[in-house]
Amino acid sequence: MSVKGAKDTARIPGRGGPESRRGDAAAGIAADSPAQVRNVALIGHSGAGKTLLIEALLAAHGMISRKGSIAEGTTVSDSDSAAVRQQRSVGLAVVPLLINDIKVNLLDTPGYPDFIGELRAGLRAADAALFVVSAVDGIDATTTALWGECEHVGMPRAVAITRVDHPRADYDGVLAACQQAFGDSVVPLYVPVRAAGEMTGLLGLLQGTVSDYSEGEPGTPRDAGPGEIGASEAARGQLIEGIIAESEDETLMDRYLGGEDIDTDVLVTDLETAVARGSFFPVLPTSAVTGLGAAELMEVLTRAFPSPLERGLPDVTDLAGSPAGELSCDPSGPLAAEVVRTTVDPFLGRVCLVRVFSGTLHEDTPVHVAGHGLADRGHQDHDTDERVTHLYSPLGANLRPVAHCVAGDICALAKLGSAETGDTISAREQPLLLSTWEMPEPLMPVAVEADSRSDEDALSRSLAKVAAGDPTLRVERNAETHQLILWCMGEAHADVVLDRLREQGVKLHTQDVVTPLRETFAGPAAGHGRHVKQSGGHGQYAVCDINVEPLGRGGGFEFVDKTVGGVIPGTFISSVEKGVRAQMQKGLAAGFPVVDLRVTLVGGKAHSVDSSDAAFQAAGALALREAAAAGRIQLLEPVSSVSITVSDEHVGAVMSDLSGRRGRLTGTASADGEVTEISADVPDQELLRYAVELRALTAGTGRFRRRYLRHEPVPST
């Protein structure tokens, strides 16, 4: 395969400044047909080289005058201030390239586990995935797991091994690791050519030609020499056999084994078909520093990866949830687009990154914005009619105006006031809903508080903006502790959320998360409540006697009236119960609600004039407090049922750690592959940082789910 890449000579007026977001920025790239589009998500662990590979591709095709630096915060993909501070991608970025009339939307996804929500958004918008693996660091378990996710949905994939020119690079070792982790269908399409120990070019195994990168950009391909051909013969044979095995022509294998030379054009055609089908995965060596492999990589992306026409669409319903009929990637069809990322620009307001699945978006068009199915994340169902005022082609943070966005393409919309990540954009006259994609559950709580009362409103407004663009963030006001809790994916995610709030001028600080304990009586007790006051005029008189006994866990509250002889008028019996309930809600020993209790009213006194509802409520509360003073209060802590999925090699470490967290093992079961699911009951206090600690314990591969189970007595210390 060879490339004659055309260069898009449009230049960016600025690298992230406000001038590059205005309407006078260079015109963007707009495809006229879905067949001209390739949407490719770059996937790999943090530091694998995804962002720098995109910089090399941009430089190779004239989109930027020089490659940016992660350390200096000048890359196109990572213009976010949080990304610059953390020296890694924290959000999804789209970088389009125009190659031989094919628009390639490169979706740069974060590699750090805390930002997996952004990665899943990138996969939702993509039709193929390029796995980026460092020749220095190799692959990690998270990347292997993501490969499995793509395999599950049949997404076409290729592998780019980066940093092959690094002094510590082990290209052959990493290639073997990829084949072991990803399967036998992962086969090199090119092999490195070395001279004096330096990697100077690539040998195309099908054509037998060498692209020389010793001068930076590849020159005219030359025929490989006899020594180069001999050294690559085994790899060439493996490649051809792999292609023929995927071919729909069943005679090819017999002809090949019979000694016939299969025409290169036939092999290339079958290769492209197998890659687009998601059954064959080519490997390419690359270097972001020298540009090695940039041309060959772009040829694979444009020729072998599928267009949106070849991929299915998400399920679609009407607003009531009824099937709306099958849509296709048709620019003339009903409009169905999805917001895959939402940010707030200081000049343009809310900016939505949108993948169009059906129909065509135009400027100055009325649309319907709908978000359903994310209420558990704090995103209540909503339906709004709005108007698309401006349409842009995003280049990282820079927005370049375009006239339209056809089915299959990706664009950015500004000033959609109600749109949130995950929302569906459709025609006003035919509103639709696309099925939501799977999002991981945020499991690390962070308690925040505004520095002053004047900051509380600013915190509320800014939180709404941040949460609108981040479905992995859950905002909760705990009804028992009254703390404002941000449920995050991990420490890095929490840092980004807090930074974004502070960037909007919010003054806040974090607090220790308070576990919502409860109280109950450890044994039977009796209480006497006497509320008698006389200060002239109408007085207050109420006396009641109660017996208290604990109920079993989950027993709730029972109030029993056993008074005789009308010592307390019937109208005031409920008043005593109200007072008891109010005191239970306030707590008795530590200010936590009292639960699992039976209160029996056994006696009391009333006054014909001075008794009242308020007096007996006060007496009931006082009687419960006196019972608590006479008895013993037991604190109860919440316990969750936890299900942990971990590779077999880490099972022992995880189970030992659970024991140290006062966890009770309830079962283990083998899952798919070398994976075990561990079930345990663990106190919530021990789970506050478990999302971070489990990741450290399992090299980033462990994940867990939790659900509230019950409250149990806090062990005495």
Side-chain angles (χ1 to χ4, degrees):
M1 299 170 76
S2 61
V3 170
K4 304 180 185 67
K7 296 183 179 179
D8 179 3
T9 57
R11 292 297 191 272
I12 309 168
R15 296 293 300 277
E19 71 280 1
S20 64
R21 301 185 178 97
R22 295 198 302 259
D24 58 358
I29 305 170
D32 294 321
S33 151
Q36 296 177 283
V37 179
R38 304 290 185 271
N39 296 310
V40 182
L42 277 71
I43 299 173
H45 66 75
S46 184
K50 301 181 297 296
T51 299
L52 292 181
L53 181 59
I54 289 178
E55 291 290 307
L57 295 174
L58 286 169
H61 294 90
M63 294 290 291
I64 55 177
S65 57
R66 67 182 184 90
K67 289 178 280 191
S69 163
I70 290 178
E72 297 173 5
T74 54
T75 62
V76 171
S77 298
D78 289 347
S79 59
D80 190 305
S81 58
V84 175
R85 278 192 295 273
Q86 295 198 14
Q87 297 285 285
R88 60 186 167 206
S89 300
V90 300
L92 176 67
V94 177
V95 177
L97 290 171
L98 187 64
I99 312 296
N100 295 336
D101 295 325
I102 299 294
K103 181 184 180 184
V104 181
N105 289 315
L106 299 173
L107 294 106
D108 189 8
T109 67
Y112 196 68
D114 276 20
F115 308 107
I116 193 171
E118 298 281 340
L119 186 148
R120 292 188 191 278
L123 289 176
R124 177 70 161 206
D127 300 303
L130 178 66
F131 277 74
V132 180
V133 180
S134 168
V136 177
D137 303 318
I139 62 174
D140 65 349
T142 301
T143 304
T144 304
L146 291 171
W147 182 276
E149 285 190 28
C150 292
E151 185 174 36
H152 180 69
V153 298
M155 178 171 281
R157 283 149 281 162
V159 179
I161 299 181
T162 60
R163 305 177 69 191
V164 294
D165 52 355
H166 192 279
R168 293 190 293 107
D170 180 12
Y171 172 77
D172 294 332
V174 170
L175 172 60
C178 288
Q179 291 173 327
Q180 181 178 3
F182 301 154
D184 295 337
S185 295
V186 176
V187 181
L189 192 57
Y190 295 86
V191 294
V193 173
R194 294 178 172 87
E198 297 287 332
M199 198 170 290
T200 59
L202 296 179
L203 189 155
L205 293 174
L206 291 182
Q207 298 91 346
T209 58
V210 175
S211 299
D212 186 358
Y213 278 86
S214 58
E215 300 298 326
E217 293 189 4
T220 302
R222 63 171 175 81
D223 291 336
E228 293 167 333
I229 291 177
S232 64
E233 194 62 37
R236 173 179 164 81
Q238 182 187 15
L239 173 62
I240 292 176
E241 289 178 13
I243 294 172
I244 291 176
E246 296 294 335
S247 175
E248 297 177 356
D249 185 346
E250 298 178 357
T251 69
L252 276 185
M253 184 61 77
D254 292 336
R255 290 158 51 192
Y256 175 71
L257 294 176
E260 179 181 340
D261 285 335
I262 307 300
D263 186 76
T264 300
D265 290 341
V266 172
L267 292 173
V268 169
T269 299
D270 284 345
L271 168 67
E272 293 173 354
T273 301
V275 173
R277 193 170 55 218
S279 59
F280 192 81
F281 317 106
V283 181
L284 297 92
T286 63
S287 168
V289 176
T290 65
L292 178 81
E296 289 76 12
L297 176 58
M298 288 310 300
E299 185 174 29
V300 169
L301 303 187
T302 55
R303 292 185 55 181
F305 274 173
S307 74
L309 292 170
E310 302 169 73
R311 299 289 295 165
L313 271 62
D315 294 334
V316 61
T317 66
D318 60 22
L319 298 184
S322 301
E326 187 173 345
L327 295 184
S328 62
C329 186
D330 180 4
S332 301
L335 178 62
E338 186 169 41
V339 179
V340 295
R341 189 166 195 248
T342 308
T343 56
V344 178
D345 185 276
F347 304 97
L348 295 176
R350 190 171 295 194
V351 177
C352 299
L353 191 64
V354 173
R355 161 72 192 260
V356 181
F357 288 100
S358 174
T360 302
L361 268 172
H362 296 278
E363 285 189 346
D364 199 32
T365 302
V367 295
H368 184 82
V369 179
H372 291 205
L374 289 174
D376 59 333
R377 299 295 178 90
H379 300 258
Q380 298 302 318
D381 291 355
H382 53 275
D383 296 282
T384 311
D385 288 334
E386 299 204 40
R387 181 175 293 274
V388 174
T389 55
H390 298 290
L391 207 60
Y392 299 97
S393 172
L395 181 66
N398 299 331
L399 301 177
R400 303 174 303 166
V402 291
H404 61 267
C405 184
V406 299
D409 204 355
I410 297 172
C411 65
L413 306 179
K415 299 182 180 179
L416 285 184
S418 64
E420 301 181 356
T421 300
D423 282 3
T424 300
I425 297 175
S426 55
R428 183 181 294 179
E429 63 275 7
Q430 188 179 353
L432 300 171
L433 272 177
L434 292 165
S435 61
T436 57
W437 69 84
E438 183 182 351
M439 279 291 178
E441 183 71 20
L443 293 168
M444 194 190 88
V446 178
V448 298
E449 184 180 45
D451 283 354
S452 65
R453 285 191 174 275
S454 61
D455 291 313
E456 290 180 356
D457 288 342
L459 174 58
S460 178
R461 290 192 301 270
S462 296
L463 259 181
K465 294 178 183 178
V466 173
D470 189 353
T472 61
L473 171 68
R474 179 159 57 89
V475 181
E476 170 192 292
R477 174 70 72 174
N478 190 288
E480 296 183 25
T481 66
H482 307 294
Q483 284 188 309
L484 180 61
I485 305 294
L486 309 182
W487 287 90
C488 304
M489 299 299 299
E491 287 182 320
H493 183 210
D495 287 344
V496 169
V497 171
L498 295 175
D499 283 348
R500 287 177 176 160
L501 291 172
R502 289 170 176 138
E503 285 172 359
Q504 296 179 39
V506 179
K507 296 180 181 179
L508 56 80
H509 58 273
T510 60
Q511 303 173 309
D512 291 336
V513 176
V514 177
T515 302
L517 303 180
R518 293 177 185 170
E519 303 175 6
T520 192
F521 279 74
H528 176 71
R530 176 181 173 84
H531 182 75
V532 178
K533 290 186 177 181
Q534 188 69 48
S535 57
H538 188 67
Q540 299 181 50
Y541 188 96
V543 178
C544 64
D545 295 295
I546 61 173
N547 290 332
V548 176
E549 56 184 312
L551 298 175
R553 297 289 78 81
F557 171 67
E558 295 180 13
F559 184 83
V560 181
D561 173 25
K562 286 192 175 180
T563 57
V564 294
V567 292
I568 298 178
T571 54
F572 296 140
I573 299 296
S574 61
S575 301
V576 176
E577 181 179 355
K578 287 179 185 177
V580 169
R581 286 182 178 273
Q583 188 61 53
M584 288 176 64
Q585 191 60 39
K586 293 178 182 178
L588 294 168
F592 295 106
V594 180
V595 296
D596 302 336
L597 191 65
R598 178 186 291 123
V599 173
T600 303
L601 180 61
V602 295
K605 294 181 181 178
H607 189 277
S608 58
V609 176
D610 292 342
S611 291
S612 65
D613 172 68
F616 272 100
Q617 286 192 45
L622 180 59
L624 189 63
R625 292 198 298 271
E626 290 204 1
R632 185 169 67 88
I633 298 299
Q634 173 72 63
L635 291 178
L636 304 175
E637 64 179 343
V639 174
S640 289
S641 174
V642 178
S643 177
I644 307 163
T645 303
V646 63
S647 59
D648 291 346
E649 62 181 308
H650 297 299
V651 168
V654 170
M655 293 177 67
S656 176
D657 179 72
L658 285 173
S659 177
R661 296 177 185 276
R662 300 186 285 130
R664 290 194 301 274
L665 185 69
T666 58
T668 60
S670 296
D672 294 337
E674 298 178 352
V675 175
T676 297
E677 188 166 291
I678 303 170
S679 300
D681 297 344
V682 186
D684 283 12
Q685 181 66 34
E686 305 291 342
L687 295 174
L688 295 179
R689 290 180 48 81
Y690 194 56
V692 176
E693 290 157 350
L694 177 64
R695 188 179 300 154
L697 199 63
T698 61
T701 62
R703 60 187 186 275
F704 76 104
R705 304 184 305 274
R706 62 184 287 184
R707 63 176 178 83
Y708 169 75
L709 191 61
R710 58 182 174 268
H711 273 68
E712 294 183 355
V714 176
S716 57
T717 57

